[in-house]
Amino acid sequence: MNITTQNTGDGILIQVEGRIDTTNYNEFESAVNEVLKDDVKQIYLDCNGLNYISSSGLRIFLTVQKKMMAVGGKLKLFAMQPAIKEIFDISGFSSIFSIYPDMDAAKQG
Amino acid sequence: MEGTPKNKTLIIRNDIDELNRLVMFLEILEEEWNLPPALVPSLNLALEEALSNIIFYAFEKGSENEISIDFSLKGTEMTIILTDGGKPYDPTKKEDPNINLPAEDRPIGGLGVFLIKKIMNEVTYNRVDNKNQMTMVKRWN
């Protein structure tokens, strides 16, 4: 897994590549917690390079969503691969996350 | 040739990093058995959910145990049998989460077994010779 973060002016962009599974989800969790520390109001999560996720990863997505909602912030996911979107659909996650086709759409949404 | 089942077994220890061996094993299986590309990630997910439950909860902490994973392919049907000598646990009895709840009310976790049931066509459990045996069947076109 590879995680990069950058400031977009109106929030933070997180790019995650590779797999989020039971063996490495804590790396993703730490990176995200680092971003959340700074009272961020908008997180853009680029899922383009994410090619595998298990329930260990899904629980972090949900945790971040809950935290952002609690502070009136927004978590926006974009560029999700179809196989990952399918897992979000199965889990009922597609209706509780804002998922956009690309960064531009996420910015406007 | 389609009538002859192909069989392969992977044995892992009750260590979560062994899931990385599973990933490699599935890559080899995909190539050797010429499996459809979309199949392996699904099997990987169902297996990870089942195996992580076994690794985290079936055994005494610090004990070393083995879990065997038997793969059998017949035509377009794959049967996977997980066998472990841990505490009796029937994952098929686990209640499905309510996936229609809004984010605020969704509990963190509880999705693993549900994902297995959604991915696989059949999931059954048996306690055989003091061992847990979970059988999962996946069919495709």
Side-chain angles (χ1 to χ4, degrees), chain B residues 70-74 77-81 135-138:
Chain B
D70 296 295
F71 297 83
S72 177
L73 176 71
K74 196 175 180 189
E77 180 181 283
M78 172 98 73
T79 302
I80 304 172
I81 303 175
T135 303
M136 308 189 279
V137 180
K138 178 73 179 173

Side-chain angles (χ1 to χ4, degrees), chain A residues 19-23 25 51-56 58-60 62-63 65-66 69 83 86-87 89-93 95-96, chain B residues 16-17 19-20 23 41 44-46 48-49 52 56 99 101-112 114-115 118-119:
Chain A
R19 303 168 57 93
I20 308 177
D21 63 23
T22 318
T23 70
Y25 72 95
N51 53 32
Y52 179 90
I53 190 163
S54 68
S55 65
S56 305
L58 290 174
R59 58 192 299 157
I60 298 168
L62 182 58
T63 306
Q65 175 72 326
K66 282 173 183 269
M69 285 170 79
E86 203 183 318
I87 296 163
D89 288 345
I90 294 172
S91 311
F93 273 28
S95 56
I96 58 179
Chain B
I16 203 66
D17 286 331
L19 289 178
N20 293 322
V23 176
N44 192 160
L45 180 54
E48 178 184 330
E49 301 299 344
S52 58
F56 289 135
I99 59 163
L101 291 174
E104 305 91 295
D105 302 328
R106 281 292 293 262
I108 303 290
L111 274 173
F114 181 69
L115 287 173
K118 286 289 184 182
I119 291 166

Side-chain angles (χ1 to χ4, degrees), chain B residues 38-87:
Chain B
L39 182 69
V40 163
S42 301
L43 294 181
N44 192 160
L45 180 54
L47 281 166
E48 178 184 330
E49 301 299 344
L51 290 167
S52 58
N53 275 343
I54 297 169
I55 291 167
F56 289 135
Y57 307 116
F59 306 108
E60 295 298 324
K61 280 224 163 9
S63 67
E64 271 198 34
N65 299 274
E66 285 185 343
I67 305 157
S68 78
I69 313 154
D70 296 295
F71 297 83
S72 177
L73 176 71
K74 196 175 180 189
T76 54
E77 180 181 283
M78 172 98 73
T79 302
I80 304 172
I81 303 175
L82 306 184
T83 311
D84 70 80
K87 288 175 245 181

Side-chain angles (χ1 to χ4, degrees), chain A residues 90-91, chain B residues 91-101 106-107 109-118:
Chain A
I90 294 172
S91 311
Chain B
T92 62
K93 289 232 161 66
K94 189 165 166 51
E95 207 177 313
D96 290 345
N98 181 353
I99 59 163
N100 298 312
L101 291 174
R106 281 292 293 262
L111 274 173
V113 174
F114 181 69
L115 287 173
I116 301 171
K117 289 198 270 185
K118 286 289 184 182

